[in-house]
Amino acid sequence: MKKWSLNFRIWHWVHAAVVLGLLGTVFLRKTFLSWRTNSELLTQKLSEINLEVTAEQAKVLAKAIRAPMWEWHIILGYALAVLLVWRIILFFTQSGKQNYQNLKEETFHKKMVKLGYIGIYGILLFMAVSGLIIHFYEALGLTKDGAHDIKEIHELVFNAVLIFVPLHIIGVFVAENQDEKGILSDMVNGGKK
């Protein structure tokens, strides 16, 4: 019998791609596709060819440039919500819940790692739900100010995901090279119990 079912492994790698995609869209939004930076650039470059635009017009143009990328953030957010429901379902399978069985017998480090995973699932669930609320705020009867407040918290909690991803990658690398040889290949081929 495999340590990790095919269903769980597919979930893991699709989930990794979605989270990295979400991180990528946020990175682009905050750097290359920042409306603040690009609106200034548009104002300057248009001025050089004798076209004057107001700061508000430049802002609208800059946001329009990044809009297609932001649509990907929304699509990936839907995917994250679906993946979290899938993970909850997987938790009730042997492959999905095995990490949390016999927790009392684990070392302190292993307990902290496993509790960390539960914590990140909670954080990702918050991110998915708050993202959906932000996107559908009008249909939910929320005000624009209410949606903005939720967005502020959404962006703040995002930092936990930003911290977790490199820690997870580093942790897997360390485990692979110390006491859990094959941890990465097990998540590819399923491993053996």
Side-chain angles (χ1 to χ4, degrees):
M1 180 174 179
K2 296 283 187 185
K3 180 177 179 181
W4 301 109
S5 69
L6 179 62
N7 199 12
F8 188 84
R9 288 179 281 145
I10 291 170
W11 173 84
H12 177 270
W13 293 110
V14 172
H15 183 255
V18 166
V19 169
L20 290 174
L22 285 163
L23 290 174
T25 59
V26 172
F27 173 75
L28 288 171
R29 179 177 183 244
K30 298 287 185 187
T31 58
F32 303 109
L33 294 175
S34 164
W35 70 262
R36 287 175 180 85
T37 303
N38 287 333
S39 64
E40 291 172 11
L41 182 65
L42 285 166
T43 303
Q44 177 192 353
K45 292 299 180 185
L46 289 171
S47 165
E48 289 174 8
I49 58 171
N50 297 321
L51 291 173
E52 298 301 321
V53 293
T54 66
E56 188 58 35
Q57 290 169 326
K59 177 181 173 182
V60 168
L61 289 171
K63 285 188 173 184
I65 291 168
R66 79 172 185 195
M69 178 275 311
W70 207 239
E71 285 298 316
W72 277 103
H73 186 82
I74 293 166
I75 291 166
L76 290 169
Y78 289 145
L80 178 64
V82 169
L83 286 165
L84 289 169
V85 170
W86 185 2
R87 179 61 180 101
I88 290 167
I89 292 166
L90 282 173
F91 185 77
F92 295 103
T93 67
Q94 182 57 35
S95 184
K97 66 182 175 184
Q98 70 185 356
N99 268 353
Y100 303 100
Q101 295 171 334
N102 305 318
L103 194 59
K104 291 180 181 178
E105 298 167 14
E106 298 283 359
T107 65
F108 178 75
H109 172 76
K110 286 287 184 193
K111 286 178 187 173
M112 291 298 101
V113 168
K114 291 175 182 187
L115 291 174
Y117 282 119
I118 291 170
I120 198 66
Y121 290 143
I123 288 166
L124 289 170
L125 185 61
F126 170 81
M127 295 299 287
V129 170
S130 62
L132 290 169
I133 290 170
I134 294 164
H135 189 65
F136 293 109
Y137 79 93
E138 289 174 326
L140 295 169
L142 293 174
T143 64
K144 192 168 188 168
D145 287 339
H148 183 269
D149 292 344
I150 294 169
K151 180 179 174 240
E152 293 290 321
I153 298 167
H154 182 84
E155 290 178 357
L156 180 67
V157 173
F158 160 78
N159 291 310
V161 179
L162 193 59
I163 292 167
F164 176 81
V165 170
L167 285 179
H168 177 67
I169 293 168
I170 291 167
V172 168
F173 178 78
V174 168
E176 180 75 36
N177 288 291
Q178 288 186 351
D179 59 341
E180 293 186 61
K181 298 219 182 293
I183 189 171
L184 184 59
S185 61
D186 285 353
M187 195 52 75
V188 173
N189 64 34
K192 290 189 168 97
K193 273 198 166 202

